Amino acid sequence: MTTHHRPTADELAAAHGGTIPDITGPDLRVLFCGINPGLWSGATGWHFARPGNRFWPALHRSGFTPRQLHPSEQGELPALGLGITNVVARTTARADELTAEEYREGGAALRARVERLRPRALAVLGIGAYRAAFGRPRAAVGRQPEPIGTTAVWVLPNPSGLNAHYSLDAIAAEFRALREAVADSGPSDARPSDPEPAVGEPATGEPSS
């Protein structure tokens, strides 16, 4: 599929319920974790592929990538020490199609994945998804007090275009805080960020990726 191809309605429908491969590698600085793949991602095989998703612009504006990558260039991330996974692997049209059990099972699988890959930081893109997957109903955006092994855990805003609580600049600022923390110190001695008020995100919106 070319970078300019827009999935057809049939291709989007066929993507429902499928999965797409993670982007991982050794010695990751940050493993970004979406909620679950949306239909655009399922149809293309690219994470955060839907037009209007702000993951790739925020990744560049925050300094993680030297230029804004197209979703089709996701394979360049491991060389930059970055990876992508999802809390739930199943592709859906909307995030509210996921069940509480899927979130819990996804959280357990994600924890095992992080313990195996041992990135310096895990960044979950969506406060609602983190709360549901890890049983932390009062968690707020930012550095979390509970690491996974040696991996620091952060919650970042859902970059979906439907998340009206955050502008692109605000999302990029949260990404930048993570990047600076990972650059300045390892996961064992980085200090948690100051607590921030919890900001709700639309649980019924599109999947983060």
Side-chain angles (χ1 to χ4, degrees):
M1 184 174 292
T2 67
T3 58
H4 301 292
H5 177 80
R6 296 175 66 89
T8 66
D10 286 345
E11 287 171 334
L12 291 174
H16 198 283
T19 61
I20 62 174
D22 289 346
I23 304 297
T24 62
D27 303 319
L28 294 179
R29 290 187 294 153
V30 180
L31 178 62
F32 291 96
C33 182
I35 299 173
N36 74 303
L39 297 185
W40 274 75
S41 290
T44 61
W46 308 328
H47 293 270
F48 307 104
R50 186 180 180 87
N53 192 292
R54 296 167 292 180
F55 175 79
W56 298 101
L59 202 64
H60 172 54
R61 290 194 185 193
S62 60
F64 273 113
T65 60
R67 61 181 176 84
Q68 184 173 324
L69 299 178
H70 184 272
S72 64
E73 298 176 294
Q74 61 186 12
E76 297 187 20
L77 291 180
L80 299 172
L82 308 174
I84 303 176
T85 188
N86 285 285
V87 175
V88 178
R90 181 169 70 95
T91 297
T92 63
R94 298 173 64 83
D96 63 359
E97 296 177 47
L98 302 177
T99 67
E101 183 179 5
E102 282 183 293
Y103 276 116
R104 288 193 297 269
E105 292 178 352
L110 177 60
R111 182 181 296 275
R113 202 172 310 136
V114 168
E115 289 173 346
R116 175 172 57 84
L117 292 171
R118 299 178 64 185
R120 291 186 66 183
L122 169 72
V124 179
L125 301 170
I127 186 68
Y130 177 78
R131 289 170 174 170
F134 289 92
R136 299 286 189 268
R138 299 181 61 84
V141 167
R143 175 81 180 267
Q144 304 303 302
E146 304 92 358
I148 298 176
T150 59
T151 297
V153 178
W154 287 67
V155 175
L156 300 179
N158 183 347
S160 164
L162 297 181
N163 182 8
H165 294 286
Y166 283 89
S167 66
L168 173 56
D169 285 343
I171 294 172
E174 296 291 348
F175 276 53
R176 187 177 305 111
L178 166 62
R179 182 182 63 80
E180 292 172 350
V182 172
D184 288 346
S185 57
S188 61
D189 59 326
R191 293 190 305 169
S193 59
D194 293 333
E196 300 177 16
V199 177
E201 293 180 354
T204 58
E206 67 192 26
S208 61
S209 60

